[in-house]
């Protein structure tokens, strides 16, 4: 089946029967055709010049039992990062209130855990309820979930659960050995089954080949239904991690990844996530043109740097983009 980038009405209708061959055809299309189609699809499904601003807080840093090769929070690697205990509720609420005052409509909380332990469930639920009471969208990333845990988080008011696939199935073993691809899919299935919105994406620039990037996008785009949120991260290479010497992905290839995600998952929030601190204004502008419509603001993304907030809003002003003032429409 040939994918016609000129048939915008058809592309704007979500479908989950994508093949890798069709994804390759989209990804490798002439750049101008690809970007034109991605922006046209974006305008069919989302406000043309609005971007959601989210903030991400590390509520428990370091000491993780997983061996994700990109992560400085793994206990397997010596990166100089000190492990911390779970933050108290009042500190989390202070951070959430500051995020809301700064314009964020979505507050994400991440803990460096292999899985959510029963002893921490009450504290996490209190955080979710507290942030929800501020009128913000809530998101957490806590590792793997077991039966019943997703339902409890949903009862506390959780809107989104983040659990990234990271890369394509065939590339996964190069990145992590302590958790299987199926483990990740099982957690996402529990999240979906509990009625929580799914936030799952991946990381590019980890030394993967083009086929792995396209494979990741295809895995995401055949989920039924599509994830409501797909973060596309560019690796922030950290010395001391196995992937710390990875060569940055070419900017044009990164934009192709964003555009392909937008076309294959037309109604999804495509989140321009980690790695923006190393991107030029022009590269970020191309990402917005390609259909990215969410960013993280604030000084850090968990433990990696992020652009200063004034830089983000200066860029918005230059591009005529408005930050969303209400939670993103589903």
């Amino acid at each position: 089946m040939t994918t016609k980038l000129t048939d915008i009405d058809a592309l704007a209708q979500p479908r989950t029967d994508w093949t890798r061959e069709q994804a390759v055809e989209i990804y490798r299309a002439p750049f101008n055709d690809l970007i034109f189609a991605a922006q046209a699809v974006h305008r069919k499904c989302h406000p043309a010049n609005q971007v959601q601003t989210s903030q991400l807080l590390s509520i428990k840093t370091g000491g993780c039992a997983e061996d994700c090769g990109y992560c400085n929070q793994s206990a397997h690697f010596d990166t100089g990062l000190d492990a911390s205990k779970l933050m108290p509720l009042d500190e989390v609420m202070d951070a959430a209130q500051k995020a809301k005052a700064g314009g964020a409509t979505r507050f994400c909380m991440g803990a460096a855990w292999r899985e959510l332990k029963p002893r921490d469930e009450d504290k996490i639920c209190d955080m979710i309820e507290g942030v929800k009471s501020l009128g913000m969208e809530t998101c957490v990333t806590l590792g793997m979930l077991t039966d019943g845990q997703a339902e409890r988080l949903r009862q506390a008011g959780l809107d989104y659960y983040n659990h990234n696939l990271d890369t394509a199935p065939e590339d996964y073993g190069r990145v992590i050995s302590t958790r299987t691809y199926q483990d990740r899919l099982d957690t996402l299935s529990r999240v979906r089954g509990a009625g929580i919105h799914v936030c799952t994406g991946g990381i590019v620039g980890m030394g993967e080949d083009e086929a792995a990037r396209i494979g990741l996008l295809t895995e995401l785009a055949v989920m039924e239904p599509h994830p409501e949120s797909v973060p596309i991260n560019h690796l922030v290479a950290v010395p001391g991690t196995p992937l710390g010497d990875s060569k940055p992905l070419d900017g044009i290839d990164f934009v192709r990844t964003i555009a392909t995600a937008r076309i294959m998952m037309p109604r999804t929030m495509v989140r321009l996530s980690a790695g923006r601190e190393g991107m030029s204004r022009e590269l970020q502008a191309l990402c917005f043109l390609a259909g990215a419509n969410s960013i993280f603001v604030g000084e850090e993304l968990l433990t990696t740097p992020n652009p200063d907030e004034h830089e983000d809003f200066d860029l918005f002003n230059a591009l005529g983009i408005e930050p969303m003032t209400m939670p993103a429409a589903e």
Side-chain angles (χ1 to χ4, degrees), residues 4-84:
K4 294 182 179 180
L5 291 183
T6 55
D7 192 350
I8 303 304
D9 288 337
L11 291 174
Q13 299 302 314
R15 46 177 285 202
T16 57
D17 60 346
W18 293 103
T19 66
R20 288 204 183 191
E21 291 74 20
Q22 291 167 341
V24 167
E25 188 178 0
I26 294 171
Y27 185 94
R28 293 181 179 172
F31 188 76
N32 287 346
D33 294 349
L34 174 62
I35 300 304
F36 181 87
Q39 178 61 202
V41 168
H42 178 75
R43 286 170 179 257
K44 283 278 187 179
C45 301
H46 303 273
N49 293 298
Q50 292 186 17
V51 171
Q52 186 186 49
T53 54
S54 307
Q55 196 149 328
L56 175 61
L57 176 69
S58 179
I59 58 174
K60 191 278 174 187
T61 302
C64 183
E66 303 281 18
D67 67 351
C68 305
Y70 51 80
C71 187
N72 65 340
Q73 300 200 66
S74 171
H76 295 260
F77 318 131
D78 182 11
T79 63
L81 181 70
D82 294 328
S84 69

Side-chain angles (χ1 to χ4, degrees), residues 243-266:
L243 298 175
D245 59 354
S246 297
K247 181 181 177 182
L249 183 65
D250 177 77
I252 297 299
D253 288 330
F254 186 81
V255 176
R256 285 185 177 276
T257 303
I258 296 287
T260 304
R262 168 51 65 225
I263 291 170
M264 295 178 72
M265 295 170 280

Side-chain angles (χ1 to χ4, degrees), residues 10 42 48 74 99 120-121 126 147 169 190 214 228 231 263 272 289:
H42 178 75
S74 171
D120 295 309
E121 288 181 11
D126 288 344
D147 290 340
R190 291 184 174 101
I214 293 171
E228 285 83 5
I263 291 170
L272 179 57
L289 185 63

Side-chain angles (χ1 to χ4, degrees), residues 50-242:
Q50 292 186 17
V51 171
Q52 186 186 49
T53 54
S54 307
Q55 196 149 328
L56 175 61
L57 176 69
S58 179
I59 58 174
K60 191 278 174 187
T61 302
C64 183
E66 303 281 18
D67 67 351
C68 305
Y70 51 80
C71 187
N72 65 340
Q73 300 200 66
S74 171
H76 295 260
F77 318 131
D78 182 11
T79 63
L81 181 70
D82 294 328
S84 69
K85 295 182 179 180
L86 186 65
M87 289 178 66
L89 177 61
D90 60 341
E91 292 184 15
V92 173
M93 290 302 298
D94 285 345
Q97 289 166 345
K98 290 178 182 177
K100 182 178 180 180
T105 60
R106 188 171 188 257
F107 193 72
C108 309
M109 296 166 277
W113 288 329
R114 173 176 167 79
E115 70 277 313
L116 174 60
K117 296 179 175 62
R119 67 170 185 253
D120 295 309
E121 288 181 11
D122 287 347
K123 294 177 181 178
I124 294 297
C125 288
D126 288 344
M127 293 177 188
I128 293 169
E129 290 174 356
V131 173
K132 190 73 173 178
S133 72
L134 299 177
M136 303 179 77
E137 281 187 348
T138 55
C139 178
V140 295
T141 178
L142 310 169
M144 293 184 289
L145 298 177
T146 56
D147 290 340
Q149 288 183 319
E151 286 78 6
R152 180 141 191 230
L153 297 176
R154 182 71 185 103
Q155 289 171 2
L158 185 64
D159 296 303
Y160 286 81
Y161 194 91
N162 169 258
H163 200 62
N164 289 336
L165 295 182
D166 287 348
T167 187
E170 69 273 16
D171 188 48
Y172 185 78
R174 181 180 65 88
V175 178
I176 178 175
S177 68
T178 51
R179 186 192 312 179
T180 68
Y181 213 77
Q182 189 59 49
D183 287 335
R184 294 181 181 271
L185 293 174
D186 289 345
T187 286
L188 292 174
S189 178
R190 291 184 174 101
V191 169
R192 180 65 76 193
I196 300 171
H197 294 143
V198 170
C199 177
T200 183
I203 307 171
V204 297
M206 297 192 295
E208 78 284 345
D209 58 17
E210 179 187 273
R213 288 191 294 280
I214 293 171
L216 167 65
L217 294 172
T218 307
E219 290 296 315
L220 295 167
V222 298
M223 289 184 174
E224 178 65 60
H226 288 158
E228 285 83 5
S229 168
V230 170
I232 304 295
N233 300 274
H234 189 292
L235 176 68
V236 179
V238 178
T241 60

Side-chain angles (χ1 to χ4, degrees), residues 289-307:
L289 185 63
N293 60 344
S294 180
I295 63 170
F296 287 104
V297 295
E299 296 178 356
E300 286 187 329
L301 291 183
L302 296 180
T303 61
T304 57
N306 202 45

